[in-house]
Amino acid sequence: MRALAKAIDGLELPAVEKISESQEEDPFQVLIATLLSARTQDATTLAASTRLFKVARTPRTMGRLTVKQIERLIYPVSFYRHKARHVKATCRLLVDRFGGCVPGAMEQLLMLPGVGRKTANLVLILAFGSRRNICVDTHVHRIANRLGWVRTGMPDETEQALYAAIDGRWWPLINLYLVTWGQNVCRPLYPRCGECVLTPMCPRVGVTRVSKKRATTVITVTNREQGA
Ligand code: SF4
């Protein structure tokens, strides 16, 4: 984790982290951006969230939009019809049941339509400053297994295994570090092991093919580290 902390410096942040930073950790916008981000490229999530938040920034105003309007604003995120329905229903529940605020407890977040543990954990970490949660998405699941930190088949299992395997001070940072690394270096197909700062300590569990290309951004970071 210390090596990753240095190596991600200067790399592009994940979309939800950017939105969280730019919106001063507003829980509602973190929640909606995370809902939109599932199985969607970061640039698409960022653009769709920006369009949606220009029109509505609160559960009350967003809840007044029709599902069709939300669909048009968030297109082309994947499953945009499905997600538009979830956004609308989530806004309604936030207004009716939680006084128009995003709740700060896991059990209550899980009541919201379309919200699973991944989204709930990220909202708790980014918007509520929790240091007791780990958010596991596909990047975290894949890289934690490649690194041999866990041996798991599903992200929910990975979350529980990581609580046992990783020192608590790193829990809120695991998502930021591994998602950034997963988008830039330890990609799903053809990871860039030849350019990775973790190569000396990584058993590469399950990796059969690696990229032959050189990654300019990572080379820059690696050289800077070596010179330090
Ligand atoms: S060495 Fe390869 S498999 Fe291991 S973390 Fe780096 S890119 Fe991923």
Side-chain angles (χ1 to χ4, degrees):
M1 288 297 283
R2 272 195 296 276
L4 276 177
K6 281 189 203 165
I8 66 163
D9 186 24
L11 295 182
E12 187 95 358
L13 283 178
V16 179
E17 296 273 349
K18 277 189 198 159
I19 290 163
S20 173
E21 271 190 11
S22 68
Q23 302 307 324
E24 297 172 343
E25 292 94 26
D26 174 70
F28 179 64
Q29 293 187 42
V30 172
L31 170 66
I32 298 298
T34 310
L35 278 176
L36 298 186
S37 72
R39 299 195 186 196
T40 300
Q41 295 277 340
D42 255 31
T44 309
T45 301
L46 195 56
S49 305
T50 306
R51 279 194 303 276
L52 184 59
F53 297 147
K54 261 191 196 156
V55 175
R57 292 175 164 269
T58 67
R60 280 179 215 286
T61 52
M62 201 173 285
R64 283 189 210 116
L65 300 176
T66 64
V67 170
K68 275 279 166 228
Q69 284 174 310
I70 299 172
E71 281 181 10
R72 275 197 290 273
L73 287 163
I74 66 174
Y75 180 84
V77 298
S78 56
F79 310 110
Y80 67 97
R81 289 202 172 99
H82 203 61
K83 288 177 182 174
R85 282 201 304 277
H86 280 158
V87 167
K88 171 93 179 167
T90 286
C91 290
R92 190 169 294 157
L93 199 60
L94 289 176
V95 172
D96 293 347
R97 185 146 185 185
F98 298 106
C101 297
V102 175
M106 174 63 80
E107 315 77 67
Q108 294 173 325
L109 284 167
L110 291 177
M111 290 176 192
L112 301 172
V115 173
R117 287 194 66 86
K118 182 196 90 166
T119 300
N121 278 317
L122 199 57
V123 169
L124 291 172
I125 293 166
L126 294 181
F128 291 97
S130 169
R131 304 197 61 77
R132 306 301 305 157
N133 294 78
I134 298 176
C135 171
V136 175
D137 74 344
T138 174
H139 293 292
V140 175
H141 174 63
R142 179 181 72 253
I143 301 175
N145 274 280
R146 283 178 176 173
L147 283 164
W149 291 353
V150 297
R151 274 180 191 267
T152 51
M154 299 295 291
D156 279 359
E157 272 178 75
T158 304
E159 183 194 337
Q160 299 311 320
L162 283 172
Y163 288 125
I166 303 293
D167 190 295
R169 74 193 148 127
W170 298 112
W171 292 357
L173 296 168
I174 287 175
N175 186 268
L176 170 63
Y177 290 8
L178 296 195
V179 173
T180 307
W181 210 237
Q183 288 174 342
N184 290 279
V185 183
C186 192
R187 296 181 166 190
L189 300 173
Y190 303 104
R192 297 171 169 173
C193 300
E195 313 299 331
C196 179
V197 293
L198 303 180
T199 298
M201 56 194 107
C202 179
R204 300 193 224 174
V205 175
V207 175
T208 50
R209 287 176 295 184
V210 300
S211 169
K212 305 252 185 307
K213 283 189 203 153
R214 293 185 69 75
T216 318
T217 342
V218 182
I219 292 162
T220 308
V221 172
T222 307
N223 285 347
R224 197 174 59 209
E225 261 203 355
Q226 283 168 347

mmCIF file of all heavy atoms in Angstrom, residues 2 21 23-24 31 44 46 61-62 65 76 81 99 110 112 121 159-160 177 182 196 200 222:
data_model
loop_
_atom_site.group_PDB
_atom_site.id
_atom_site.type_symbol
_atom_site.label_atom_id
_atom_site.label_comp_id
_atom_site.label_asym_id
_atom_site.label_seq_id
_atom_site.Cartn_x
_atom_site.Cartn_y
_atom_site.Cartn_z
ATOM 1 N N ARG A 2 2.014 1.182 0.691
ATOM 2 C CA ARG A 2 2.914 2.354 0.683
ATOM 3 C C ARG A 2 3.474 2.594 -0.721
ATOM 4 O O ARG A 2 3.545 3.731 -1.192
ATOM 5 C CB ARG A 2 4.052 2.162 1.690
ATOM 6 C CG ARG A 2 3.708 2.652 3.098
ATOM 7 C CD ARG A 2 4.955 2.791 3.946
ATOM 8 N NE ARG A 2 5.589 1.500 4.163
ATOM 9 C CZ ARG A 2 5.233 0.644 5.120
ATOM 10 N NH1 ARG A 2 4.263 0.949 5.951
ATOM 11 N NH2 ARG A 2 5.846 -0.504 5.253
ATOM 12 N N GLU A 21 -14.455 15.100 -4.628
ATOM 13 C CA GLU A 21 -13.564 16.233 -4.323
ATOM 14 C C GLU A 21 -14.176 17.546 -4.778
ATOM 15 O O GLU A 21 -14.208 18.521 -4.038
ATOM 16 C CB GLU A 21 -12.218 16.048 -5.033
ATOM 17 C CG GLU A 21 -11.237 15.277 -4.197
ATOM 18 C CD GLU A 21 -9.826 15.297 -4.787
ATOM 19 O OE1 GLU A 21 -9.563 16.072 -5.724
ATOM 20 O OE2 GLU A 21 -9.006 14.522 -4.289
ATOM 21 N N GLN A 23 -17.248 18.306 -5.339
ATOM 22 C CA GLN A 23 -18.517 18.657 -4.680
ATOM 23 C C GLN A 23 -18.393 18.645 -3.161
ATOM 24 O O GLN A 23 -19.389 18.529 -2.448
ATOM 25 C CB GLN A 23 -19.634 17.688 -5.122
ATOM 26 C CG GLN A 23 -19.880 17.663 -6.614
ATOM 27 C CD GLN A 23 -20.125 19.043 -7.197
ATOM 28 O OE1 GLN A 23 -20.734 19.896 -6.564
ATOM 29 N NE2 GLN A 23 -19.619 19.279 -8.392
ATOM 30 N N GLU A 24 -17.167 18.743 -2.676
ATOM 31 C CA GLU A 24 -16.902 18.790 -1.230
ATOM 32 C C GLU A 24 -17.589 17.640 -0.488
ATOM 33 O O GLU A 24 -18.278 17.831 0.516
ATOM 34 C CB GLU A 24 -17.325 20.141 -0.650
ATOM 35 C CG GLU A 24 -16.513 21.262 -1.263
ATOM 36 C CD GLU A 24 -17.003 22.632 -0.869
ATOM 37 O OE1 GLU A 24 -18.146 22.741 -0.395
ATOM 38 O OE2 GLU A 24 -16.224 23.577 -1.039
ATOM 39 N N LEU A 31 -23.390 9.504 -3.841
ATOM 40 C CA LEU A 31 -24.293 8.356 -3.983
ATOM 41 C C LEU A 31 -24.750 8.185 -5.435
ATOM 42 O O LEU A 31 -24.655 7.087 -6.005
ATOM 43 C CB LEU A 31 -25.512 8.558 -3.065
ATOM 44 C CG LEU A 31 -26.674 7.583 -3.242
ATOM 45 C CD1 LEU A 31 -26.277 6.175 -2.840
ATOM 46 C CD2 LEU A 31 -27.884 8.035 -2.421
ATOM 47 N N THR A 44 -17.338 8.403 -19.062
ATOM 48 C CA THR A 44 -18.787 8.425 -19.296
ATOM 49 C C THR A 44 -19.524 8.747 -18.002
ATOM 50 O O THR A 44 -20.473 9.536 -17.986
ATOM 51 C CB THR A 44 -19.250 7.048 -19.840
ATOM 52 O OG1 THR A 44 -18.413 6.701 -20.945
ATOM 53 C CG2 THR A 44 -20.685 7.071 -20.269
ATOM 54 N N LEU A 46 -18.374 10.432 -15.445
ATOM 55 C CA LEU A 46 -18.110 11.829 -15.094
ATOM 56 C C LEU A 46 -18.991 12.766 -15.918
ATOM 57 O O LEU A 46 -19.629 13.681 -15.380
ATOM 58 C CB LEU A 46 -16.624 12.140 -15.336
ATOM 59 C CG LEU A 46 -16.074 13.403 -14.712
ATOM 60 C CD1 LEU A 46 -16.307 13.431 -13.220
ATOM 61 C CD2 LEU A 46 -14.570 13.505 -15.001
ATOM 62 N N THR A 61 -35.089 17.992 -5.942
ATOM 63 C CA THR A 61 -35.153 18.473 -7.332
ATOM 64 C C THR A 61 -34.974 17.310 -8.318
ATOM 65 O O THR A 61 -35.664 17.239 -9.327
ATOM 66 C CB THR A 61 -34.084 19.558 -7.601
ATOM 67 O OG1 THR A 61 -32.807 19.064 -7.180
ATOM 68 C CG2 THR A 61 -34.383 20.840 -6.861
ATOM 69 N N MET A 62 -34.091 16.359 -7.990
ATOM 70 C CA MET A 62 -33.887 15.239 -8.912
ATOM 71 C C MET A 62 -35.118 14.331 -8.928
ATOM 72 O O MET A 62 -35.484 13.779 -9.964
ATOM 73 C CB MET A 62 -32.635 14.442 -8.524
ATOM 74 C CG MET A 62 -32.074 13.616 -9.665
ATOM 75 S SD MET A 62 -30.496 12.849 -9.254
ATOM 76 C CE MET A 62 -29.370 14.225 -9.352
ATOM 77 N N LEU A 65 -37.731 15.116 -11.541
ATOM 78 C CA LEU A 65 -37.495 14.776 -12.955
ATOM 79 C C LEU A 65 -38.219 13.477 -13.286
ATOM 80 O O LEU A 65 -38.393 12.612 -12.425
ATOM 81 C CB LEU A 65 -35.994 14.589 -13.230
ATOM 82 C CG LEU A 65 -35.079 15.790 -12.971
ATOM 83 C CD1 LEU A 65 -33.614 15.378 -13.194
ATOM 84 C CD2 LEU A 65 -35.438 16.953 -13.868
ATOM 85 N N PRO A 76 -24.822 7.947 -22.220
ATOM 86 C CA PRO A 76 -24.863 6.503 -22.471
ATOM 87 C C PRO A 76 -24.255 5.643 -21.346
ATOM 88 O O PRO A 76 -23.529 4.703 -21.649
ATOM 89 C CB PRO A 76 -24.022 6.395 -23.723
ATOM 90 C CG PRO A 76 -22.924 7.425 -23.495
ATOM 91 C CD PRO A 76 -23.541 8.524 -22.676
ATOM 92 N N ARG A 81 -31.416 2.870 -18.530
ATOM 93 C CA ARG A 81 -32.865 2.845 -18.217
ATOM 94 C C ARG A 81 -33.079 2.338 -16.791
ATOM 95 O O ARG A 81 -33.832 2.917 -16.013
ATOM 96 C CB ARG A 81 -33.594 1.935 -19.200
ATOM 97 C CG ARG A 81 -33.679 2.512 -20.582
ATOM 98 C CD ARG A 81 -34.829 1.883 -21.380
ATOM 99 N NE ARG A 81 -34.992 2.603 -22.612
ATOM 100 C CZ ARG A 81 -34.501 2.205 -23.794
ATOM 101 N NH1 ARG A 81 -33.846 1.071 -23.891
ATOM 102 N NH2 ARG A 81 -34.684 2.934 -24.872
ATOM 103 N N GLY A 99 -35.933 12.467 5.186
ATOM 104 C CA GLY A 99 -35.971 13.929 5.257
ATOM 105 C C GLY A 99 -35.121 14.610 4.191
ATOM 106 O O GLY A 99 -34.634 15.726 4.399
ATOM 107 N N LEU A 110 -28.489 0.468 2.449
ATOM 108 C CA LEU A 110 -28.852 -0.735 1.697
ATOM 109 C C LEU A 110 -30.346 -0.814 1.394
ATOM 110 O O LEU A 110 -30.781 -1.635 0.588
ATOM 111 C CB LEU A 110 -28.391 -1.994 2.449
ATOM 112 C CG LEU A 110 -26.868 -2.195 2.520
ATOM 113 C CD1 LEU A 110 -26.508 -3.432 3.339
ATOM 114 C CD2 LEU A 110 -26.243 -2.299 1.126
ATOM 115 N N LEU A 112 -31.885 1.605 -0.040
ATOM 116 C CA LEU A 112 -32.110 2.435 -1.224
ATOM 117 C C LEU A 112 -32.025 1.585 -2.488
ATOM 118 O O LEU A 112 -31.136 0.732 -2.598
ATOM 119 C CB LEU A 112 -31.074 3.563 -1.278
ATOM 120 C CG LEU A 112 -31.065 4.498 -0.059
ATOM 121 C CD1 LEU A 112 -29.871 5.453 -0.117
ATOM 122 C CD2 LEU A 112 -32.371 5.289 0.024
ATOM 123 N N ASN A 121 -20.488 1.379 0.899
ATOM 124 C CA ASN A 121 -19.149 1.568 1.487
ATOM 125 C C ASN A 121 -18.474 2.814 0.938
ATOM 126 O O ASN A 121 -17.841 3.568 1.690
ATOM 127 C CB ASN A 121 -18.266 0.339 1.206
ATOM 128 C CG ASN A 121 -18.507 -0.790 2.188
ATOM 129 O OD1 ASN A 121 -18.621 -0.567 3.387
ATOM 130 N ND2 ASN A 121 -18.585 -2.007 1.690
ATOM 131 N N GLU A 159 -14.391 -8.351 0.271
ATOM 132 C CA GLU A 159 -14.498 -7.297 1.294
ATOM 133 C C GLU A 159 -14.230 -7.894 2.682
ATOM 134 O O GLU A 159 -13.390 -7.383 3.434
ATOM 135 C CB GLU A 159 -15.895 -6.658 1.242
ATOM 136 C CG GLU A 159 -16.034 -5.507 2.237
ATOM 137 C CD GLU A 159 -17.475 -5.072 2.450
ATOM 138 O OE1 GLU A 159 -18.327 -5.322 1.572
ATOM 139 O OE2 GLU A 159 -17.750 -4.504 3.525
ATOM 140 N N GLN A 160 -14.900 -8.982 2.994
ATOM 141 C CA GLN A 160 -14.738 -9.572 4.329
ATOM 142 C C GLN A 160 -13.309 -10.099 4.526
ATOM 143 O O GLN A 160 -12.719 -9.941 5.594
ATOM 144 C CB GLN A 160 -15.756 -10.704 4.547
ATOM 145 C CG GLN A 160 -17.216 -10.247 4.468
ATOM 146 C CD GLN A 160 -17.513 -9.008 5.317
ATOM 147 O OE1 GLN A 160 -17.022 -8.870 6.448
ATOM 148 N NE2 GLN A 160 -18.302 -8.080 4.783
ATOM 149 N N TYR A 177 -6.631 3.431 -4.169
ATOM 150 C CA TYR A 177 -5.345 2.950 -4.682
ATOM 151 C C TYR A 177 -5.536 1.864 -5.751
ATOM 152 O O TYR A 177 -4.933 1.903 -6.815
ATOM 153 C CB TYR A 177 -4.483 2.368 -3.550
ATOM 154 C CG TYR A 177 -3.943 3.386 -2.571
ATOM 155 C CD1 TYR A 177 -4.344 4.715 -2.605
ATOM 156 C CD2 TYR A 177 -3.036 3.016 -1.589
ATOM 157 C CE1 TYR A 177 -3.853 5.638 -1.691
ATOM 158 C CE2 TYR A 177 -2.537 3.937 -0.676
ATOM 159 C CZ TYR A 177 -2.952 5.239 -0.726
ATOM 160 O OH TYR A 177 -2.469 6.148 0.179
ATOM 161 N N GLY A 182 -5.816 -0.239 -11.137
ATOM 162 C CA GLY A 182 -6.518 -1.124 -12.063
ATOM 163 C C GLY A 182 -6.880 -0.446 -13.370
ATOM 164 O O GLY A 182 -6.926 -1.082 -14.421
ATOM 165 N N CYS A 196 5.170 -2.235 -13.522
ATOM 166 C CA CYS A 196 4.444 -2.092 -12.252
ATOM 167 C C CYS A 196 5.400 -2.073 -11.065
ATOM 168 O O CYS A 196 6.258 -2.951 -10.934
ATOM 169 C CB CYS A 196 3.465 -3.261 -12.121
ATOM 170 S SG CYS A 196 2.527 -3.229 -10.582
ATOM 171 N N PRO A 200 8.020 -6.802 -7.876
ATOM 172 C CA PRO A 200 8.877 -7.628 -7.009
ATOM 173 C C PRO A 200 8.120 -8.330 -5.883
ATOM 174 O O PRO A 200 8.597 -9.318 -5.340
ATOM 175 C CB PRO A 200 9.864 -6.603 -6.416
ATOM 176 C CG PRO A 200 9.760 -5.391 -7.272
ATOM 177 C CD PRO A 200 8.392 -5.385 -7.853
ATOM 178 N N THR A 222 7.525 5.728 -12.095
ATOM 179 C CA THR A 222 8.525 4.773 -11.638
ATOM 180 C C THR A 222 9.913 5.408 -11.578
ATOM 181 O O THR A 222 10.639 5.277 -10.614
ATOM 182 C CB THR A 222 8.571 3.539 -12.575
ATOM 183 O OG1 THR A 222 7.246 3.056 -12.675
ATOM 184 C CG2 THR A 222 9.454 2.468 -12.021
#
